[in-house]
Amino acid sequence: MKVNENFLKIKSSYLFSGIARKVREYKEAHPEKAGEIISLGIGDVTRPLAPAVIDAMHKAVEEMAHAETFHGYPPEYGQDFLLQAILENDYRAHGVELETTEIFVSDGAKSDCGNIGDIFAEDNKVAVCDPVYPVYVDTNVMSGRAGDPTEHGFTNIYYMPCTAENNFLPALPDAHVDIIYLCFPNNPTGMTASRAELQKWVDYANREGAVILFDAAYEAFITEDDVPHTIYEIPGAKTCAIEFKSFSKTAGFTGVRCGYTVVPHALKANGVELNPLWARRQATKFNGVSYITQRAAAACYTEEGKQQIRDTIAYYQKNAKVIYEGLRDCGFTVYGAVNSPYIWLKTPDGMGSWEFFDLLLNELQVVGTPGEGFGPSGEGYFRLTAFGSAENTEKAVARIKAYFKK
Ligand code: MLT
């Protein structure tokens, strides 16, 4: 028996698992401080599900209680009522026409971003932003596509630095790449790309025969007009882009699990349509999303669901503003927040990002995410999230202000 040796090339723990372990160890060593800890680390939501969603789930549970309305295996790519709601609200409302067969409902964007590599050859060249959501890189390492680890990253990954110097926007690759992961609004920097900027990527991908894997998990946080809500608002995107969307950050589904992936029929690699490949992959390795969850997701698109979700997003947006302005006012250089639940800051006095993590945890009992955990260019930066409660967010900002004003 042999293991997949690619697994030996990645750090033994996933970024957020490693941080959770550090926090657990701190709590064990300092039980008197355990209750004081405020987590603004992993982007996990804290507000309850919208009442419209809860109602829909109760109704769906009741249906499952009777033979006449019971549901067994769900349709593998999603219930029609949910696919239609997605088409209408997430696409037609933004001037984009899709077919239901181009949408694949799943248990979340993380799984899909991780699994999509199954349909691509191992020798494709992968480009990622740096810093980046670690799932894109780690899953390519697991499948053998990333090459070998070096001090500066993996040999077969093309890293695109995103720092203050380029306003956190990657430059087009100066060599051919095949698979490009883009996430806007961006995790972790909280920054966005305008229509004109994304058009450059779509043109590059169409010219080079590359595919853009576009993660739009934070779309609900967009406030500015020039930021597209879907990559398909960009002319030409249907022939070069796959899009991932999630109900996690939009509607608080981190614990419910639901998202979807769009693979347009027009998207081909050397004449081969990718849509049926993903359909085949999902039908074989995934058994669909529970009926109760799909009813919950569909409720997000009802009039009352939409309003309730908007209110929750507004709550987090207020937290984002509190963090952004609070830190800026005490001298930090801060980014993000405007179209995003993430605030990306420069660590003070050139401090290392893990050093800053330790300081916040040990001195202030505030947990964030070190920029270095997202890639080499994240060193010297730090991420805070707006997904905490308003009370905890204010408390955390007050502690940081008090400490750094010293
Ligand atoms: C994050 O904190 O970056 C996200 O919560 C991770 C995720 O969505 O999986």
Side-chain angles (χ1 to χ4, degrees):
M1 187 274 277
K2 291 185 187 136
V3 299
N4 174 352
E5 292 198 357
N6 295 314
F7 277 72
L8 310 180
K9 297 178 181 173
I10 34 177
K11 287 190 185 148
S12 59
S13 74
Y14 179 57
L15 172 63
F16 294 106
S17 317
I19 289 174
R21 183 180 41 76
K22 270 179 171 268
V23 174
R24 260 194 323 273
E25 283 166 5
Y26 177 82
K27 283 182 178 170
E28 277 159 24
H30 306 276
E32 73 292 353
K33 298 267 175 68
E36 293 296 303
I37 291 181
I38 297 175
S39 177
L40 303 181
I42 189 165
D44 194 6
V45 295
T46 53
R47 302 300 298 155
L49 294 169
V53 168
I54 293 292
D55 280 353
M57 289 177 99
H58 281 153
K59 283 193 192 120
V61 167
E62 195 49 38
E63 283 182 60
M64 297 297 269
H66 307 282
E68 314 76 64
T69 48
F70 171 79
H71 293 263
Y73 284 128
E76 49 216 345
Y77 309 131
Q79 300 275 356
D80 199 54
F81 60 79
L82 178 55
L83 296 171
Q84 294 292 351
I86 290 169
L87 272 192
E88 196 56 45
N89 293 279
D90 290 350
Y91 293 98
R92 193 160 293 146
H94 297 293
V96 173
E97 289 300 327
L98 290 175
E99 292 173 28
T100 49
T101 51
E102 296 177 301
I103 300 172
F104 298 84
V105 174
S106 72
D107 66 341
K110 179 180 182 180
S111 321
D112 288 356
C113 287
N115 293 330
I116 195 75
D118 279 10
I119 67 170
F120 296 108
E122 197 182 305
D123 59 356
N124 278 305
K125 183 82 177 176
V126 172
V128 295
C129 292
D130 171 23
V132 72
Y133 179 42
V135 170
Y136 312 152
V137 175
D138 289 0
T139 53
N140 276 291
V141 178
M142 289 172 181
S143 66
R145 202 175 286 116
D148 293 312
T150 71
E151 222 180 291
H152 311 290
F154 286 85
T155 49
N156 201 33
I157 298 257
Y158 185 98
Y159 292 90
M160 306 182 289
C162 297
T163 58
E165 286 65 43
N166 58 11
N167 204 25
F168 304 96
L169 286 172
L172 289 178
D174 54 13
H176 173 81
V177 298
D178 301 296
I179 300 175
I180 304 155
Y181 289 82
L182 294 180
C183 171
F184 290 110
N186 186 257
N187 179 15
T189 68
M191 300 297 270
T192 46
S194 66
R195 261 167 240 283
E197 195 60 40
L198 285 177
Q199 186 71 62
K200 285 193 222 159
W201 283 95
V202 165
D203 293 345
Y204 170 90
N206 279 323
R207 200 167 58 236
E208 292 287 322
V211 64
I212 296 174
L213 302 179
F214 193 77
D215 184 349
Y218 300 93
E219 173 269 325
F221 287 82
I222 293 173
T223 60
E224 293 180 322
D225 287 344
D226 194 32
V227 181
H229 288 259
T230 153
I231 186 78
Y232 304 115
E233 285 181 51
I234 307 299
K238 281 191 185 173
T239 51
C240 69
I242 290 176
E243 178 162 275
F244 306 97
K245 285 229 173 128
S246 166
F247 292 89
S248 287
K249 318 297 159 108
T250 308
F253 275 42
T254 54
V256 178
R257 308 307 309 151
C258 194
Y260 65 87
T261 287
V262 178
V263 189
H265 291 299
L267 176 54
K268 298 193 169 99
N270 294 322
V272 179
E273 210 189 299
L274 299 190
N275 179 295
L277 304 189
W278 183 243
R280 187 70 173 82
R281 191 265 171 219
Q282 290 299 80
T284 308
K285 293 196 183 179
F286 182 65
N287 236 346
V289 174
S290 81
Y291 177 73
I292 299 165
T293 298
Q294 295 198 61
R295 278 288 175 206
C300 299
Y301 298 109
T302 59
E303 280 318 308
E304 48 168 359
K306 283 195 244 188
Q307 186 52 52
Q308 291 160 357
I309 284 165
R310 268 198 296 272
D311 292 346
T312 302
I313 299 278
Y315 176 98
Y316 294 133
Q317 282 168 328
K318 194 159 168 234
N319 285 347
K321 199 159 182 256
V322 166
I323 300 173
Y324 184 94
E325 291 179 357
L327 268 63
R328 182 197 60 196
D329 293 349
C330 77
F332 283 88
T333 306
V334 274
Y335 305 94
V338 178
N339 296 293
S340 165
Y342 294 128
I343 297 87
W344 187 242
L345 53 117
K346 259 196 132 9
T347 55
D349 308 321
M351 201 182 270
S353 61
W354 282 103
E355 197 189 337
F356 189 63
F357 171 90
D358 288 335
L359 184 149
L360 287 194
L361 178 60
N362 294 321
E363 303 297 326
L364 309 178
Q365 291 75 51
V366 172
V367 180
T369 311
E372 196 271 339
F374 297 101
S377 298
E379 183 52 294
Y381 293 93
F382 198 77
R383 194 192 78 176
L384 293 172
T385 94
F387 286 123
S389 69
E391 191 193 348
N392 276 346
T393 302
E394 275 171 24
K395 244 195 234 172
V397 170
R399 286 183 201 170
I400 295 173
K401 273 173 121 170
Y403 187 89
F404 286 96
K405 269 195 173 150
K406 267 192 220 161

